[in-house]
Amino acid sequence: MIHSRNRRLRVNESIRSLVRENVLTTDDFVMPIFVMEGENMQEPIPSMPGIFRRSIDLTVKECKELFSLGVKSVNLYMKVSEHLKDNTGKEAWNQNGLMQNTIKAIKDAVPGMVVMPDVALDPYSIYGHDGIIENGKILNDATNDALARMSVSHAEAGADLVAPSDMMDGRVQVIREALEESGFTDVGIVSYAAKYASSFYGPFRSALDSAPKDDMEIPKDKKTYQMDYHNSREAMNEVFKDIEEGADVIMIKPGLPYLDIVSKVREAIDLPIAVYNVSGEYAMVKAAVQNGWLDNDKTIIESLTCFKRAGADMIFTYFAKEAAMILNK
């Protein structure tokens, strides 16, 4: 006779929900947003159905709708005009730049929205790299100084947290010190501590035209600073160093192919963990849905719940708005 039957706790939805270990809510989501120059402008991103580049005015409108749905955090990326790009990234800390004006506009219109601007030089670089280049190499320390200036300018514009995604060594400490010295003690750092050199970023790079340029004089990819996807112990080293340097939130990127890293980090630290459900993951689901191979709503909610189960506290995802609509039904 069987005495222990696990199926007793699966008999109906009421019982299943009573013993459910992880629950997904709109509070878990951070919506990445692409911003472009202009007014009343909106451009679709072909590789990411349902995702757009928008001018500041339409970005503000989108943020209002997101907040009404319960999505209270956004992560900002700029589509920078070609004539503003160079090898220093100086446009990144322009007080009247696209990023700075976007932050101000969102905080003015939706004060409760948590604004997390991306901190990296690739959208501002003529080379499409996250750092300043000299003699064919990415300069680590010079890049850190630029990232610190960028972060302070974001804080001055009203950012709640800055999100360095570059993977330069020591940049969290340099940014933290710059923020402290400038009086922004309450501005947090979401550190991309374990960001892998991944094939899943393709649609994102096409959205911002931020892929490394095909030039024999510079590295053809980002493998000298982003992590090797074969490694997991190295991720722990990166995480612990960023915590020592002053990170407030630890990011792991990409998401679904790296749930083992999320779980491993969760077991080791008490800080909040963010995970990035990246553009390639989004594109794969949407392609399968368009072909009738997957159920859109069920697949979205299941995949996002996986991040919670692995131990993530917040999920950066292009599904945020759609998932909020599903959860609010």
Side-chain angles (χ1 to χ4, degrees), residues 88-95 100 121 146-147 149-150 153:
T88 70
K90 63 180 182 296
E91 178 62 22
W93 55 86
N94 179 359
Q95 291 183 339
Q100 290 74 9
L121 296 185
L147 298 173
R149 295 185 69 176
M150 186 179 182
S153 77

Side-chain angles (χ1 to χ4, degrees), residues 131-149:
I132 297 167
I133 295 180
E134 185 176 290
N135 298 325
K137 292 185 177 181
I138 312 296
L139 300 182
N140 191 93
D141 296 1
T143 298
N144 283 347
D145 292 339
L147 298 173
R149 295 185 69 176

Side-chain angles (χ1 to χ4, degrees), residues 27-30 116 189-194 236 239-240 243 247-255 258-276 307-316:
D27 291 333
D28 299 317
F29 302 146
V30 179
M116 307 181 194
I189 299 176
V190 180
S191 171
Y192 287 58
M236 303 308 301
V239 166
F240 291 138
I243 292 173
D248 299 286
V249 179
I250 293 298
M251 168 73 82
I252 294 149
K253 183 180 181 179
Y258 295 84
L259 290 178
D260 61 316
I261 307 300
V262 178
S263 180
K264 193 170 184 177
V265 172
R266 177 75 289 160
E267 292 176 0
I269 72 170
D270 295 323
L271 258 62
I273 293 175
V275 64
Y276 207 127
F307 297 125
K308 293 294 295 290
R309 190 184 66 236
D313 299 289
M314 61 188 76
I315 306 165
F316 287 54

Side-chain angles (χ1 to χ4, degrees), residues 123-186:
Y124 302 89
S125 169
I126 53 174
Y127 299 115
H129 272 286
D130 293 48
I132 297 167
I133 295 180
E134 185 176 290
N135 298 325
K137 292 185 177 181
I138 312 296
L139 300 182
N140 191 93
D141 296 1
T143 298
N144 283 347
D145 292 339
L147 298 173
R149 295 185 69 176
M150 186 179 182
S151 298
V152 170
S153 77
H154 292 174
E156 290 171 343
D160 299 284
L161 302 101
V162 293
S165 62
D166 57 286
M167 288 298 287
M168 297 296 117
D169 291 334
R171 90 278 204 215
V172 172
Q173 180 173 328
V174 175
I175 291 170
R176 185 70 268 163
E177 289 175 353
L179 290 171
E180 296 291 317
E181 291 170 3
S182 300
F184 296 108
T185 57
D186 291 335

